[in-house]
Amino acid sequence: MRQRRLVAGATAFGLMTGAGALALPAAQADEPTVLLNEDFEDGSFSPLAQNGGPALSVVDADGDKALLVKGRTNDYDGIKTPANLLQAGGTYTFSAQVKLSAAAGTTTSARFVVEPAYSWVGNTTVSADAWTTVTGTFNAPAGADPATLRAYLGTGDLGAPYDYLVDDVVITGTAAPADGGAWQPTPDPSLVPGGAVNPTTTPLASARATGNAVALTFDDGPNPGETAAVLDLLRDKGITATFCIIGQNVEAPGGAELLRRIVAEGHTLCNHGTSYADMGSWTQAQVETDLKKNSRSSGAPSGTRPSRCPTSAHRTAAGAPPARSPQHSACSRSASATSSSTGTATTSARPH
């Protein structure tokens, strides 16, 4: 960390300790916090990501560690913030130290560029003679998608590929919670909501029924052959279960007939989305649209509405996506209890 650097807002915001540290947004939207602080002292540039095609390496520079961007050809060649760090409606101050690795007297420009609108922030002249602070403030649009709202360090052209050094990348800001706050689905008179009665967000590992009871869920159907065989077995044993349905399978040949049989035999439907897509990077609006579409397409042939089933898009209490949330097990996590020893299952879904 360079003693001579000046980080805009450091006095007001404070700095986190440790290289490459990431912090969750503050609980209050108007409280600024340090979201990213990378000084490369640990030899890595994580959590920053490579942008473009340059070679990136941590080197010794002027008695300190710095990131060398070698072979800069395009303005975007360098580093980029991770997805979901910047949030819709947030206000952010970006700061970095930049120095050209070129002949004395060489100058160009550097700035932060925020995708997807490619907004320039803090455009500054930088040189090979000294470290320069590149800093500026950005207000994220209210409807921005955190998955695509990312900032990279952009640089000016010198007519040929060149190298430059980066150090002390700090991002501070105020932002809405990563889950968008107290989200509510858009009212839709044509949609009759499904869902369990009095749903709980308690994970399955903590939501235990009493007695000889088990909650059964079957994901990703209906599928000709497999689903029919499962239904035969459940009927013969007098057991009801929960079927987490995929819209594209309902629309496939034989899917609607299987769906009607599931409902007719007393089982519960669970909304697993329209496809097998990974929802981990989707916005809440995108998840809502997909679940509503699947509810409509599944409700028509079945005569009922499936409850919502969390997939990889569900959020943790801290507002951050889980590290790993396989879609095939999502419905299993949503089952909360059974109503009797026969295995009749009720489900609960985490709100998206």
Side-chain angles (χ1 to χ4, degrees), residues 223-290:
N223 299 304
E226 293 91 341
T227 301
V230 169
L231 288 170
D232 289 344
L233 177 62
L234 295 175
R235 178 198 59 205
D236 294 344
K237 299 296 183 180
I239 297 172
T240 55
T242 297
F243 286 80
C244 299
I245 55 175
I246 298 285
Q248 68 183 45
N249 293 340
V250 175
E251 296 172 356
E257 289 76 12
L258 283 170
L259 188 65
R260 282 191 286 268
R261 181 183 170 187
I262 291 171
V263 173
E265 295 183 3
H267 303 289
T268 299
L269 297 182
C270 172
N271 191 338
H272 216 327
T274 61
S275 69
Y276 295 93
D278 183 353
M279 295 182 180
S281 64
W282 289 17
T283 64
Q284 291 165 329
Q286 289 172 321
V287 173
E288 177 185 347
T289 297
D290 188 85

Side-chain angles (χ1 to χ4, degrees), residues 32-189:
T33 188
V34 178
L35 303 177
L36 184 149
N37 179 17
E38 178 57 72
D39 59 11
F40 310 106
E41 291 300 314
D42 63 352
S44 168
F45 56 86
S46 177
L48 295 166
Q50 179 169 338
N51 202 40
L56 302 182
S57 61
V58 177
V59 299
D60 292 318
D62 299 335
D64 206 347
K65 295 291 186 183
L67 182 70
L68 174 64
V69 179
K70 191 173 182 62
R72 180 272 185 211
T73 302
N74 303 293
D75 74 295
Y76 53 80
D77 286 339
I79 51 175
K80 187 175 187 176
T81 61
N84 300 307
L85 176 68
L86 308 179
Q87 300 294 318
T91 298
Y92 301 94
T93 296
F94 303 106
S95 179
Q97 295 283 308
V98 178
K99 183 181 179 182
L100 301 182
S101 182
T106 304
T107 63
T108 187
S109 60
R111 82 287 301 177
F112 287 92
V113 182
V114 185
E115 298 173 340
Y118 299 96
S119 304
W120 283 26
V121 180
N123 191 46
T124 305
T125 298
V126 297
S127 75
D129 301 329
W131 288 92
T132 302
T133 301
V134 178
T135 185
T137 300
F138 172 76
N139 295 315
D145 180 356
T148 60
L149 190 64
R150 303 176 68 179
Y152 66 83
L153 191 60
T155 50
D157 187 37
L158 288 178
Y162 64 89
D163 307 339
Y164 67 94
L165 296 160
V166 183
D167 201 2
D168 299 331
V169 181
V170 179
I171 301 176
T172 57
T174 61
D179 65 356
W183 172 81
Q184 292 293 329
T186 304
D188 188 340

